[in-house]
Amino acid sequence: MSGTQDVIGGLDLSADDYVIKQSLVRSKYAVTDGDGNPVLKGKKKRFKIKEEFPFTNPQGDVVFRIKARNILDVAGNYELVDEESGEPFAVIEKEYTLFKHVYNIRDPDGRMLARIESESAVVMALKSFSDIVSILPHSYSITGPDGEHIGSISERLSLRDIFDVHVGDTGDAPREAIVAAAITIDALEED
């Protein structure tokens, strides 16, 4: 595997497959690897002026945080910050399009690492206009900086959000940054 440098202190995100499950009641997330082993938990705090929420390892230690870059960040720009170093390791920039949801994943210096884009404009449009169709599953493709396909995020048909995340070879881009960004997309989408 290329691009496996450790960018998140003490967290192993070297597997190809992960499952993200959202709690039915609150914005809580549990992430397991493809074998069902716990990897991360996250809990989004509601009604904060500057959005920020932590992801913890199975022992309950915070390993990274998502932080909005600005107060009431309408631009949709977030930093993923390593808890151990206090330094950002990736930036998620939401690109505004009419129906598709597009996220550019960059390193802190602005270099493009990956792009995560919803695959069905029709499903995303329906979900934008009605909560009734929110159970329709949707998916995202993950492409590298040169447009090569490196992974996917696929929602299962379920009453709660359950996503399968697959990330293959990321080349020289930091794998952990791309996997962490893919894992956080559902929390940012809030659908």
Side-chain angles (χ1 to χ4, degrees):
M1 255 179 257
S2 300
T4 58
Q5 58 264 50
D6 182 28
V7 295
I8 307 169
L11 182 61
D12 178 14
L13 292 176
S14 60
D16 288 345
D17 297 298
Y18 296 90
V19 176
I20 306 164
K21 293 181 182 177
Q22 182 180 7
S23 167
L24 282 173
V25 181
R26 302 182 68 182
S27 292
K28 289 183 181 179
Y29 303 86
V31 181
T32 59
D33 64 19
D35 295 327
N37 301 311
V39 176
L40 287 170
K41 288 185 179 180
K43 181 178 176 184
K44 188 170 185 177
K45 295 180 180 175
R46 300 275 184 194
F47 310 114
K48 291 194 73 144
I49 292 177
K50 187 172 182 181
E51 200 168 29
E52 175 180 335
F53 52 102
F55 278 83
T56 61
N57 62 20
Q59 294 76 35
D61 302 318
V62 176
V63 287
F64 73 90
R65 295 177 184 274
I66 301 172
K67 288 185 174 184
R69 284 190 138 176
N70 300 305
I71 294 173
L72 299 173
D73 194 346
V74 293
N77 294 326
Y78 298 88
E79 291 181 330
L80 299 180
V81 179
D82 175 34
E83 189 70 11
E84 194 172 277
S85 71
E87 296 295 321
F89 60 86
V91 175
I92 300 174
E93 299 171 341
K94 186 169 185 175
E95 202 175 288
Y96 284 93
T97 62
L98 189 54
F99 293 119
K100 285 195 160 203
H101 293 202
V102 178
Y103 295 91
N104 293 312
I105 313 307
R106 299 184 184 278
D107 72 10
D109 296 326
R111 180 176 70 107
M112 179 69 94
L113 301 176
R115 181 179 177 97
I116 299 175
E117 183 174 349
S118 60
E119 292 182 336
S120 174
V122 173
V123 170
M124 296 313 282
L126 289 172
K127 288 172 90 70
S128 296
F129 292 115
S130 173
D131 286 338
I132 294 170
V133 294
S134 67
I135 64 165
L136 286 177
H138 59 285
S139 58
Y140 297 85
S141 62
I142 305 172
T143 55
D146 297 324
E148 70 280 12
H149 180 81
I150 60 173
S152 62
I153 305 169
S154 302
E155 185 177 18
R156 297 180 189 176
L157 183 59
S158 174
L159 292 178
R160 66 179 181 169
D161 287 354
I162 300 175
F163 286 90
D164 295 300
V165 176
H166 174 79
V167 178
D169 186 359
T170 61
D172 67 347
R175 175 183 190 73
E176 286 83 357
I178 294 170
V179 171
I183 287 170
T184 62
I185 294 298
D186 184 55
L188 297 175
E189 287 284 319
E190 290 193 66
D191 57 18

